[in-house]
Amino acid sequence: MLRTHTCGELTINDINKTVTLSGWAQISRNLGGMTFIDLRDRYGITQLAFNLDWDKNLCDQARAVGREFVLQATGEVIERQSKNKNNPTGDIEIKVTILTVLNESITPPFVIEDNTDVSDEIKLKYRYLDLRRNTVRKNLELRHRMAIETRNYLDKLNFLEVETPVLIKSTPEGARDFVVPSRMNQGQFYALPQSPQTFKQLLMVAGFDRYYQIVKCFRDEDLRADRQPEFTQIDCEMSFVEQKDILETFEGLVRHLFKAVKNIDMPHVPHMTYADAMNFYGNDKPDTRFDMKFVAITDIAKGKGFPVFDGAESVIGICAKGAAEYTRKQLDELTDFVKRPQIGATGLIYARHNSDGTIKSSVDKFYNEDDLKQWSKAFNSEPGDLILILAGATEKTQKALSELRLEMGSRLGLRDKDTFSALWVVDFPLLEWNDGDPNLLASLAGRWHAKHHPFTSPKPEDMALLKTDPGAVRANAYDLVINGVEVGGGSIRIHDKSIQAQMFDLLGFTNDEAQKQFGFLMNAFEFGAPPHGGLAFGFDRLCSLFGGSDSIRDFIAFPKNNSGRDMMIDSPSEISEEQLKELSILSTVK
Amino acid sequence: MLRTHTCGELTINDINKTVTLSGWAQISRNLGGMTFIDLRDRYGITQLAFNLDWDKNLCDQARAVGREFVLQATGEVIERQSKNKNNPTGDIEIKVTILTVLNESITPPFVIEDNTDVSDEIKLKYRYLDLRRNTVRKNLELRHRMAIETRNYLDKLNFLEVETPVLIKSTPEGARDFVVPSRMNQGQFYALPQSPQTFKQLLMVAGFDRYYQIVKCFRDEDLRADRQPEFTQIDCEMSFVEQKDILETFEGLVRHLFKAVKNIDMPHVPHMTYADAMNFYGNDKPDTRFDMKFVAITDIAKGKGFPVFDGAESVIGICAKGAAEYTRKQLDELTDFVKRPQIGATGLIYARHNSDGTIKSSVDKFYNEDDLKQWSKAFNSEPGDLILILAGATEKTQKALSELRLEMGSRLGLRDKDTFSALWVVDFPLLEWNDGDPNLLASLAGRWHAKHHPFTSPKPEDMALLKTDPGAVRANAYDLVINGVEVGGGSIRIHDKSIQAQMFDLLGFTNDEAQKQFGFLMNAFEFGAPPHGGLAFGFDRLCSLFGGSDSIRDFIAFPKNNSGRDMMIDSPSEISEEQLKELSILSTVK
């Protein structure tokens, strides 16, 4: 080893030891006859000391060291005169006797410190320098710890980690696949998995009983800030279980992770139906760190001559505790917020429940004191509260109000990143109508689309609706939501071949198409498929949640940008004619 | 849960308990009034008992159960009359009171038993049934255990598991890449990694210090029985180390795995230079479970009038202990063996060291008793031994003799799969001449090619030879060989930009090409790259070695066949015109 110790471990107990450290020059300071270099490695920072009186040559050598030079220093551990209580090694320094420059460095494009205001583009291009920053490295250390703890928890419960293939088959019913031309099978393509869904179900047919895998998945979709073309799942499946068994098992995993990684005792996770989540929060992933549930006042608000409410399908609102003192300017900001195109409300009605008990609304012209008291009762408002109301078509209004609720939660400081509130959302709809989702192939528009995926089991009590009212069928499907973030989801699967065939039919597959794409699964179901179900966690997102960040990119070592490019290696890139020819493809781009 | 217990855990201590089991009907037997069903799950087999006298309906129901039906059975644990000592649950059976068929099964194409003589093709097509067999499932359980133990060992040594990207950049200097057309970046392609080599080096530049990953890698090469287009590596890298530190660390890993997984105390692993491995075994991955080293008798064999030896560059042989009694037929078989085209020797010379002390050779015409005594002395032969000799061009003869040595090892029972002998082979050549390797692009023929990869550091003492005799330069590169199988390999890397540039130049890259493909790495080396090195284990192969099998396929859940096809899902397959168009490519196959 080119060191005897790391830069993070020497303390007052090591005084007089001769040690060798290796690392990067964080900073050097010349103070008259003394020169100090902060030597940094993954484990910490240790101060190297040089003195003109001790050794002039060595001191000169130290003064020539630039930022980010790679150094090896041998010397004696001595007690510091001015100690640094903020650094675990701050009581000591190294009186250097041998200094070796292992490698030089040109000046980096940004300083390697916790806070740096350089652009994301530069940080992605020089990701290997960005990763030198403590804050970024700690994110990846957290990720490592999360993975280890996940595996050890599941291993104890007899789950087997099984690697499923990455080169699989394109099944274009879902989001777009990345495909891989085959050289050995000309004119044919592999696809990269969007998830190991069918393989984990086959492992259940194979009797593997309990499977998991921390696995890369791929989706060729238009990217948003929190999406990446390749992402990682904790993918799990169990046999001979009912929904409650799966929820209990994986609630256990999440509680274990909170305890082991963050030393947080997570309370039992409540369940809420999808219908309730939409009614109370207008959102299938409600942030339950704060209450502020929706209240529908459609009945009491209508018929008083206010045309906006009279013409609305729904009149719904929230009660923001303690916000009655909001200024006109703040209320205008909220109105502007809900009127933004991506939210799309036409206006915002409010009522202040003043500290003197009176209630004043922005529509006093139409509603008298008694009317407003009825509102107050409906919202359970108290003096000091602010009632905010939207009206219009139900679904659209719920969505807009959900955004307003989250905004108010943020403004009122109710969304602390170190507070965690988890929720199981259950009984999702089985299907949704595809009006032309840009993340699906255009040829799939105007069809029913599986909300979770085509292997999700309908609720037995809703089976009859499959023929008459498919949109009303509920699934044995569930999501785990923490702080308004969907961190995982899954379902009980269909294990009966005829129901699976019925499902493919409903999704617009001909028998031939279903057989061609999923014949292997339906055939497998002929040979004794056990009842089974499972779920998958978005591992990048789970890590970012634990790390208190909104961005999954911060928790991926080498992320891609919003155009799917790796800025560091400059990929994707052109390939040679020789390669294209061997793969029997032509590029249509000149 | 649809069970209270698994099929592997009930014993005499559970008598009188009411239990529910779920699993597959392995076999059912009707014995007069009794019917027995062996119920199987991943954990074991438990006998279900039915009796016409107890419940006729239930008994009839049991008799209708076919092989591989999925059953749930509730009943009382009772002591068996005729116990089965070979089964951990063999002391008890379940007196069933409720039997539910959870799913039926048609007759499987082969019986789910440890030994089955069905073709590989059928087994791959119905892999989900093949995986139900104990022997196959145990292989994957072993793999799971190996992965868990690897991670826990490395975690304790401060290694961080970091996921590197799967969608990277094509760098056609190595084996062929699989490529992925980009929809968002038209005309451009990602490539799948042949290994995370450059990324792990960048993690060292980033100061991550100790990295590992159990990771899928991809190589588009013509497949042999023990190759797969996607395979798994335990990939590792360390900073501030010298070669011996890496060898010690990963010898530790292998010893840990042997102890934890197989309860074998592995002795210290010896080192051997590549030159010695070639001289003594004609093979850079010698099987050291047995000795039988090569002996060169070129000097003493020449000049006696035997034209084959006189015209040969090298005359080398092995001494097979105790094989002097080999019959003429056996010797003819060995001669045929070495004359096979894939071995290519022109003939085989032998000398028996008879039990009476006399020595008789197949070339007695040219060599007298004294000559043969000299041979015997060179080979250190004893009465009862058989000396086998090949002659010709040195390298070719070494290779042929290596095959003969392995054949003799097998014939003499010296290659027991439960005996393990490990060896570090060190000081590999840096380069090899590419005469037209079919696994490389044709345009790369007639050039030097990196034997390990282009990032491997030459030995400092050989640097001067880079300009004068590149083929003679040795690398700081090493392989771990166990039982003649290369299970891992690695090197100390170049961390100096100018040496890296020199290396690319030697490999025939123009400056432009090097910059285009590896500019990111060479740029990173400008910013303080630490001395570093690492290695990668072939995880599939390591598992198959631990499992006592020659085939990595047996240790992969869903392997592909020799044409790179997944027979189960029938992939690769054609994709739609809509997909091709979105990806801006055309298939040249009609």
Side-chain angles (χ1 to χ4, degrees):
Chain A
M1 299 276 176
L2 303 181
R3 63 187 173 205
T4 57
H5 295 77
T6 70
C7 296
E9 63 182 306
L10 295 171
T11 66
I12 205 84
N13 299 322
D14 299 296
I15 297 287
N16 293 332
K17 279 187 192 160
T18 297
V19 300
T20 299
L21 303 182
S22 291
W24 285 262
Q26 172 79 13
I27 197 165
S28 82
R29 290 176 306 265
N30 294 330
L31 305 173
M34 294 292 291
T35 293
F36 298 103
I37 296 177
D38 279 355
L39 192 69
R40 186 196 70 234
D41 66 12
R42 177 181 131 199
Y43 310 93
I45 287 181
T46 298
Q47 181 163 291
L48 307 180
F50 305 85
N51 189 321
L52 277 177
D53 293 340
W54 299 340
D55 186 333
K56 181 172 181 311
N57 281 343
L58 198 62
C59 204
D60 288 345
Q61 208 189 329
R63 285 179 178 187
V65 164
R67 273 182 198 274
E68 301 305 317
F69 275 37
V70 186
L71 305 177
Q72 183 188 43
T74 298
E76 189 188 335
V77 181
I78 59 174
E79 187 168 359
R80 266 206 225 179
Q81 292 195 311
S82 60
K83 300 194 170 55
N84 177 352
K85 291 296 169 199
N86 297 322
N87 184 348
T89 68
D91 286 350
I92 59 95
E93 62 191 7
I94 311 298
K95 181 180 173 180
V96 177
T97 50
I98 309 171
L99 181 68
T100 308
V101 175
L102 296 173
N103 216 340
E104 300 195 347
S105 173
I106 58 173
T107 306
F110 51 89
V111 179
I112 309 302
E113 285 175 352
D114 285 4
N115 294 307
T116 177
D117 59 356
V118 72
S119 73
D120 279 356
E121 198 175 343
I122 295 290
K123 283 199 281 189
L124 284 177
K125 179 165 178 192
Y126 296 96
R127 182 66 171 174
Y128 46 85
L129 296 179
D130 197 27
L131 287 169
R132 278 189 197 164
R133 298 194 302 125
N134 261 319
T135 44
V136 184
R137 197 197 58 245
K138 279 188 191 308
N139 290 344
L140 290 160
E141 287 174 347
L142 171 80
R143 186 180 177 115
H144 165 75
R145 184 56 38 212
M146 299 274 287
I148 285 269
E149 292 294 345
T150 297
R151 288 190 163 99
N152 287 338
Y153 174 85
L154 293 173
D155 182 55
K156 284 208 182 76
L157 292 181
N158 274 324
F159 281 80
L160 291 175
E161 184 160 31
V162 180
E163 292 173 60
T164 54
V166 175
L167 295 171
I168 65 164
K169 181 169 172 162
S170 186
T171 54
E173 105 298 341
R176 284 184 183 83
D177 285 322
F178 284 104
V179 300
V180 180
S182 166
R183 180 175 59 92
M184 296 223 278
N185 302 271
Q186 294 191 346
Q188 300 191 329
F189 294 76
Y190 302 100
L192 304 183
Q194 299 186 21
S195 89
Q197 183 61 35
T198 49
F199 289 95
K200 69 176 172 175
Q201 293 192 242
L202 289 170
L203 285 172
M204 294 304 106
V205 175
F208 270 53
D209 203 75
R210 296 181 165 204
Y211 144 92
Y212 81 99
Q213 190 182 187
I214 301 185
V215 61
K216 275 282 174 74
C217 301
F218 306 86
R219 211 169 284 168
D220 183 11
E221 60 190 354
D222 299 325
L223 301 173
R224 301 195 309 252
D226 62 342
R227 289 280 173 90
Q228 287 276 314
E230 53 180 296
F231 54 96
T232 303
Q233 288 188 348
I234 307 173
D235 191 48
C236 307
E237 198 80 2
M238 303 172 80
S239 287
F240 302 117
V241 289
E242 294 166 298
Q243 178 167 310
K244 72 175 170 53
D245 303 314
I246 295 183
L247 302 192
E248 275 169 22
T249 304
F250 293 100
E251 179 173 332
L253 170 60
V254 170
R255 290 158 59 96
H256 171 74
L257 289 175
F258 270 108
K259 187 65 189 174
V261 176
K262 296 189 76 75
N263 198 27
I264 289 176
D265 288 299
M266 184 82 168
H268 173 68
V269 178
H271 297 193
M272 181 182 293
T273 64
Y274 172 86
D276 280 351
M278 295 311 288
N279 278 333
F280 291 132
Y281 300 101
N283 197 322
D284 61 4
K285 40 179 193 286
D287 185 344
T288 49
R289 276 174 297 186
F290 62 107
D291 196 25
M292 213 187 285
K293 283 200 190 70
F294 289 9
V295 176
I297 55 164
T298 320
D299 291 347
I300 58 177
K302 280 191 171 193
K304 305 285 178 174
F306 179 43
V308 172
F309 284 3
D310 285 352
E313 185 184 359
S314 284
V315 181
I316 40 180
I318 52 177
C319 174
K321 305 300 286 179
E325 304 292 321
Y326 259 40
T327 61
R328 181 77 220 177
K329 180 160 168 284
Q330 286 173 303
L331 289 163
D332 285 349
E333 280 169 10
L334 293 180
T335 305
D336 291 345
F337 177 84
V338 297
K339 287 168 89 172
R340 290 187 308 167
Q342 59 269 47
I343 297 185
T346 49
L348 173 66
I349 306 302
Y350 64 83
R352 299 176 200 271
H353 195 147
N354 294 314
S355 51
D356 63 4
T358 61
I359 306 175
K360 285 281 171 195
S361 83
S362 55
V363 285
D364 280 358
K365 199 165 133 193
F366 303 102
Y367 298 91
N368 62 26
E369 208 183 307
D370 278 352
D371 294 333
L372 296 178
K373 283 220 168 113
Q374 266 195 297
W375 290 17
S376 166
K377 200 175 156 199
F379 282 101
N380 208 11
S381 76
E382 296 171 311
D385 293 351
L386 176 67
I387 294 168
L388 297 166
I389 300 171
L390 299 178
T394 305
E395 203 173 314
K396 196 178 159 192
T397 305
Q398 284 176 338
K399 278 192 185 161
L401 189 61
S402 169
E403 296 297 327
L404 180 63
R405 176 180 174 272
L406 293 173
E407 173 68 16
M408 286 310 297
S410 296
R411 283 175 176 245
L412 297 173
L414 303 173
R415 303 178 72 192
D416 172 24
K417 70 180 180 52
D418 294 322
T419 301
F420 295 93
S421 174
L423 179 74
W424 284 111
V425 178
V426 299
D427 296 356
F428 272 79
L430 183 69
L431 302 164
E432 61 190 353
W433 188 256
N434 174 12
D435 261 336
D437 182 335
N439 277 319
L440 301 178
L441 287 173
S443 56
L444 296 171
R447 288 195 194 180
W448 287 110
H449 188 74
K451 184 153 178 94
H452 190 58
H453 56 53
F455 314 107
T456 297
S457 174
K459 280 196 171 288
E461 58 268 38
D462 290 2
M463 282 296 294
L465 293 169
L466 270 179
K467 294 217 164 79
T468 56
D469 186 5
V473 176
R474 292 167 305 159
N476 276 325
Y478 33 81
D479 276 357
L480 181 66
V481 175
I482 304 181
N483 292 3
V485 175
E486 179 207 324
V487 295
S491 64
I492 298 295
R493 324 301 183 184
I494 299 167
H495 66 279
D496 179 289
K497 188 187 172 177
S498 67
I499 298 177
Q500 188 63 65
Q502 197 179 344
M503 186 71 184
F504 283 131
D505 183 45
L506 201 58
L507 296 174
F509 283 74
T510 64
N511 271 350
D512 260 13
E513 284 167 349
Q515 193 58 42
K516 202 170 160 196
Q517 286 182 34
F518 295 110
F520 61 95
L521 187 68
M522 290 196 289
N523 292 343
F525 282 1
E526 300 262 33
F527 294 102
H532 62 288
L535 92 178
F537 290 97
F539 188 55
D540 310 293
R541 201 165 287 183
L542 192 65
C543 291
S544 71
L545 182 86
F546 270 64
S549 166
D550 292 333
S551 165
I552 62 171
R553 255 196 226 169
D554 297 345
F555 293 78
I556 294 174
F558 299 102
K560 295 184 175 57
N561 74 5
N562 283 355
S563 315
R565 291 201 73 78
D566 184 321
M567 303 289 286
M568 181 183 70
I569 65 172
D570 194 22
S571 162
S573 60
E574 288 175 17
I575 61 173
S576 69
E577 288 299 324
E578 188 181 9
Q579 286 176 289
L580 289 171
K581 193 172 167 205
E582 284 195 342
L583 296 170
S584 310
I585 56 173
L586 289 176
S587 171
T588 61
V589 179
K590 275 296 139 209
Chain B
M1 298 277 177
L2 303 182
R3 63 187 173 204
T4 57
H5 295 77
T6 69
C7 297
E9 61 181 307
L10 294 170
T11 66
I12 205 84
N13 298 322
D14 299 296
I15 297 287
N16 292 333
K17 280 188 191 158
T18 297
V19 300
T20 299
L21 302 183
S22 291
W24 286 261
Q26 172 80 13
I27 199 166
S28 84
R29 291 176 306 264
N30 295 330
L31 303 174
M34 294 292 290
T35 294
F36 299 101
I37 296 176
D38 279 355
L39 193 69
R40 186 197 68 234
D41 67 11
R42 176 182 132 199
Y43 310 93
I45 287 181
T46 299
Q47 181 164 292
L48 308 180
F50 305 84
N51 190 321
L52 277 177
D53 293 341
W54 298 341
D55 185 333
K56 182 174 182 310
N57 281 344
L58 198 63
C59 204
D60 287 345
Q61 209 190 326
R63 286 179 179 188
V65 165
R67 272 182 198 273
E68 301 306 317
F69 275 36
V70 186
L71 305 178
Q72 183 188 42
T74 298
E76 189 188 337
V77 181
I78 59 174
E79 187 167 358
R80 266 204 224 179
Q81 292 196 310
S82 61
K83 299 193 170 53
N84 177 351
K85 291 296 167 201
N86 297 322
N87 184 349
T89 69
D91 286 351
I92 59 95
E93 63 192 6
I94 312 298
K95 182 180 173 182
V96 177
T97 52
I98 309 172
L99 181 68
T100 308
V101 175
L102 296 172
N103 216 339
E104 299 194 346
S105 172
I106 58 174
T107 306
F110 51 88
V111 179
I112 310 303
E113 285 175 352
D114 286 6
N115 294 308
T116 177
D117 60 356
V118 72
S119 74
D120 280 355
E121 199 175 343
I122 295 289
K123 283 197 283 190
L124 284 177
K125 180 166 179 192
Y126 296 95
R127 183 64 171 175
Y128 46 85
L129 297 179
D130 197 26
L131 288 169
R132 279 191 196 162
R133 300 194 301 125
N134 260 321
T135 44
V136 184
R137 198 198 57 247
K138 278 189 191 307
N139 290 345
L140 291 159
E141 287 174 347
L142 172 80
R143 187 180 176 113
H144 166 76
R145 184 57 38 212
M146 299 275 287
I148 284 269
E149 292 294 344
T150 297
R151 288 191 162 98
N152 287 338
Y153 175 86
L154 293 172
D155 183 55
K156 284 209 182 75
L157 292 181
N158 275 323
F159 281 79
L160 292 174
E161 185 162 28
V162 180
E163 292 174 61
T164 54
V166 175
L167 295 171
I168 66 164
K169 182 169 172 161
S170 186
T171 53
E173 105 297 343
R176 284 185 183 82
D177 285 321
F178 284 105
V179 300
V180 180
S182 168
R183 181 176 58 92
M184 299 223 277
N185 301 272
Q186 296 191 344
Q188 299 190 330
F189 293 76
Y190 302 101
L192 304 183
Q194 298 186 22
S195 90
Q197 184 62 35
T198 51
F199 289 95
K200 69 175 172 175
Q201 293 193 242
L202 290 169
L203 285 172
M204 295 304 106
V205 175
F208 269 54
D209 202 77
R210 294 179 168 207
Y211 145 91
Y212 80 100
Q213 191 182 187
I214 301 184
V215 60
K216 274 281 174 75
C217 302
F218 306 87
R219 210 168 285 168
D220 183 11
E221 59 190 356
D222 300 324
L223 301 172
R224 302 194 308 252
D226 62 342
R227 289 281 172 93
Q228 287 277 314
E230 53 180 296
F231 54 97
T232 303
Q233 287 188 349
I234 306 173
D235 191 48
C236 307
E237 198 80 3
M238 302 172 80
S239 287
F240 303 119
V241 290
E242 296 166 296
Q243 177 167 310
K244 73 176 170 48
D245 303 314
I246 295 182
L247 301 193
E248 276 169 21
T249 304
F250 293 99
E251 178 173 333
L253 170 60
V254 170
R255 289 157 60 95
H256 171 75
L257 289 175
F258 271 108
K259 187 65 189 175
V261 177
K262 297 189 75 78
N263 197 26
I264 289 176
D265 288 299
M266 183 83 170
H268 173 67
V269 178
H271 298 194
M272 182 184 291
T273 64
Y274 172 86
D276 279 351
M278 296 310 288
N279 277 333
F280 292 132
Y281 300 101
N283 198 322
D284 61 4
K285 39 181 193 286
D287 185 343
T288 49
R289 279 175 295 188
F290 62 106
D291 195 26
M292 213 187 284
K293 283 201 191 70
F294 289 9
V295 174
I297 55 164
T298 319
D299 291 347
I300 58 176
K302 280 189 170 195
K304 304 286 178 172
F306 179 42
V308 172
F309 286 1
D310 285 351
E313 185 184 359
S314 283
V315 181
I316 40 181
I318 51 177
C319 175
K321 306 300 287 178
E325 305 292 322
Y326 259 40
T327 61
R328 181 78 220 178
K329 179 160 168 286
Q330 286 173 303
L331 289 164
D332 285 348
E333 280 168 12
L334 292 179
T335 305
D336 290 344
F337 176 85
V338 299
K339 286 168 89 172
R340 290 188 307 167
Q342 60 270 46
I343 297 185
T346 48
L348 173 67
I349 305 303
Y350 64 83
R352 300 177 200 270
H353 196 146
N354 294 314
S355 52
D356 63 4
T358 60
I359 306 173
K360 285 279 169 194
S361 82
S362 53
V363 283
D364 279 358
K365 198 167 133 191
F366 302 103
Y367 298 91
N368 62 28
E369 207 183 308
D370 279 352
D371 294 333
L372 295 179
K373 283 222 167 109
Q374 267 194 297
W375 290 17
S376 166
K377 198 174 159 199
F379 283 99
N380 207 10
S381 74
E382 296 171 311
D385 294 349
L386 176 68
I387 294 168
L388 298 166
I389 300 171
L390 299 179
T394 304
E395 204 172 314
K396 195 177 160 193
T397 305
Q398 283 176 338
K399 279 191 183 158
L401 190 60
S402 170
E403 295 297 328
L404 180 62
R405 175 181 174 271
L406 293 173
E407 172 68 17
M408 286 310 297
S410 297
R411 284 175 175 245
L412 296 173
L414 304 173
R415 303 178 74 194
D416 172 25
K417 71 182 179 51
D418 295 322
T419 301
F420 295 93
S421 174
L423 179 73
W424 285 110
V425 179
V426 299
D427 297 357
F428 272 80
L430 183 68
L431 302 164
E432 59 189 354
W433 188 256
N434 174 11
D435 261 336
D437 182 336
N439 278 318
L440 301 177
L441 288 173
S443 55
L444 297 171
R447 288 194 194 181
W448 287 110
H449 187 73
K451 184 153 178 96
H452 190 56
H453 56 52
F455 315 107
T456 296
S457 174
K459 280 196 170 287
E461 59 267 38
D462 290 2
M463 283 296 293
L465 293 170
L466 270 179
K467 294 219 165 76
T468 55
D469 186 5
V473 176
R474 292 167 306 159
N476 276 325
Y478 32 81
D479 277 357
L480 181 65
V481 175
I482 303 180
N483 292 4
V485 175
E486 179 207 324
V487 295
S491 63
I492 297 296
R493 324 301 183 184
I494 298 166
H495 66 279
D496 179 288
K497 189 188 172 178
S498 66
I499 297 177
Q500 188 64 67
Q502 196 179 346
M503 186 70 183
F504 283 132
D505 183 48
L506 201 56
L507 296 173
F509 284 74
T510 64
N511 270 351
D512 261 13
E513 285 167 348
Q515 193 58 40
K516 203 168 159 197
Q517 288 183 32
F518 295 110
F520 61 97
L521 187 68
M522 289 196 288
N523 291 343
F525 282 2
E526 299 263 31
F527 294 101
H532 63 288
L535 90 179
F537 291 97
F539 188 55
D540 309 293
R541 201 165 289 183
L542 192 63
C543 291
S544 72
L545 182 86
F546 270 64
S549 166
D550 291 333
S551 165
I552 62 171
R553 257 195 222 169
D554 298 344
F555 293 79
I556 295 173
F558 299 101
K560 295 183 174 56
N561 74 5
N562 283 355
S563 314
R565 291 201 74 79
D566 184 322
M567 302 291 285
M568 182 183 69
I569 65 172
D570 194 22
S571 163
S573 61
E574 287 175 19
I575 61 174
S576 69
E577 287 300 323
E578 188 181 10
Q579 286 175 288
L580 289 171
K581 194 174 165 199
E582 285 196 342
L583 296 170
S584 310
I585 55 172
L586 290 175
S587 171
T588 60
V589 178
K590 275 297 140 210

